[in-house]
Amino acid sequence: MTPDFSRLFSIDGKCALVTGGSRGIGEMIAAGFLASGCRVYISSRKAGVCDATAARLSEQYQGECLSIPGDLSSVAGVEALAGQLAEREQRLDILVNNAGVAWGAPLDEFPEKGWDKVMDTNVKAVFFLTQKLLPLLRASACAEDPARVVNIGSVDGLKSSTFDAFSYGASKAALHHLTRFLAAHLASENIVCNSIAPGPFPTWMLSTGVGFGGETEGVDWAGVGANSPLGRMGGAEDIAGLAIFLCSRAGAFVVGETICCDGGSVNTR
């Protein structure tokens, strides 16, 4: 049989949920999905921000971006989000677990609440949201086009960081390994799980770490990007492109992997 390459990277017509989708890497992925023909739900803790981002992306990309605000730091919040999505959709083709938090403090002063908050959001919530959405993912899954789960980890889960973000790095390493466990258990059900480990992107979280105070516009991102082997920051096309690959026919045989999207910061140094 002659392979059909005409829709190799297509995700047109799919339904996706991107947590933490109101800004940063989540917003970049949501925008890429919308531009590629997906119906996209985004979730974040602040309802007003989530609603505004969904409206702006819908208009910008002439697509359907829908807001489901929610706090994923507790299992109750996870269940609420999953329940709201199940009321609106009968299937889910793509789940992007992107919502995450960080905490920075010197080693001798690092607090328990900074450990627990990060682990609860970055690891525990990913597991339980995936669990609660399995009925919708199973409804979409088939051998020809598996359902996809993409977990957003970090290069800090692959190497040590200069930041005092001890629980963050540990949580992302745990997330990468959780991805392997989920992949091993779900591949036979045609649900494919992978993770992405982003490097430097112009996000609120990185802005706070490098001293920009959370600002993402009008700051010296070029100076930060100059430290990358490629000499630049990551852009929306970089992270969205990789997510689209993993969620399209082109990535259907990639299972349980953690793929760096970092301009070479992990593998060339």
Side-chain angles (χ1 to χ4, degrees):
M1 181 182 295
T2 302
D4 179 10
F5 296 118
S6 62
R7 293 178 52 83
L8 188 59
F9 295 95
S10 175
I11 55 172
D12 184 42
K14 292 191 174 187
C15 177
L17 168 63
V18 181
T19 67
S22 68
R23 67 183 182 187
I25 283 175
E27 181 182 342
M28 296 176 194
I29 292 173
F33 283 178
L34 281 167
S36 301
C38 273
R39 181 170 67 261
V40 180
Y41 289 87
I42 61 171
S43 179
S44 68
R45 185 172 53 86
K46 297 180 179 179
V49 175
C50 195
D51 293 345
T53 299
R56 175 169 48 80
L57 292 179
S58 293
E59 181 178 0
Q60 186 173 359
Y61 294 99
Q62 297 299 297
E64 191 175 8
C65 187
L66 304 159
S67 171
I68 309 183
D71 185 352
L72 301 183
S73 63
S74 69
V75 174
V78 166
E79 291 174 338
L81 173 59
Q84 289 182 66
L85 186 64
E87 291 175 358
R88 304 188 192 190
E89 299 290 340
Q90 295 183 333
R91 64 179 178 86
L92 180 66
D93 302 301
I94 300 168
L95 169 61
V96 179
N97 286 305
N98 169 74
V101 297
W103 193 291
L107 177 60
D108 290 348
E109 302 170 12
F110 203 92
E112 182 180 11
K113 64 181 180 179
W115 190 270
D116 291 346
K117 179 179 180 179
V118 171
M119 288 294 179
D120 284 349
T121 305
N122 295 7
V123 186
K124 183 178 177 180
V126 170
F127 175 80
F128 283 104
L129 183 59
T130 304
Q131 179 196 70
K132 303 306 179 186
L133 290 175
L134 281 176
L136 295 182
L137 291 166
R138 286 170 174 146
S140 167
C142 64
E144 295 76 22
D145 191 10
R148 317 299 169 93
V149 177
V150 179
N151 297 325
I152 306 301
S154 171
V155 293
D156 286 359
L158 299 172
K159 64 180 182 64
S160 61
S161 170
T162 58
F163 303 123
D164 292 336
F166 301 99
S167 55
Y168 180 78
S171 74
K172 292 304 185 178
L175 180 58
H176 299 161
H177 201 50
L178 175 61
T179 300
R180 300 183 189 100
F181 265 74
L182 292 172
H185 283 77
L186 294 174
S188 63
E189 298 188 57
N190 295 311
I191 300 173
V192 169
C193 303
N194 290 287
S195 59
I196 296 173
F201 281 79
T203 64
W204 177 89
M205 185 179 292
L206 182 58
S207 174
T208 61
V210 298
F212 295 159
E215 296 294 329
T216 57
E217 301 292 336
V219 295
D220 185 21
W221 285 123
V224 178
N227 295 317
S228 164
L230 284 183
R232 67 173 178 87
M233 301 289 291
E237 298 91 341
D238 299 308
I239 196 71
L242 180 51
I244 289 168
F245 159 73
L246 288 173
C247 297
S248 68
R249 175 62 186 88
F253 206 55
V254 180
V255 181
E257 292 292 335
T258 295
I259 303 176
C260 291
C261 187
D262 67 342
S265 64
V266 169
N267 292 320
T268 64
R269 290 179 173 170

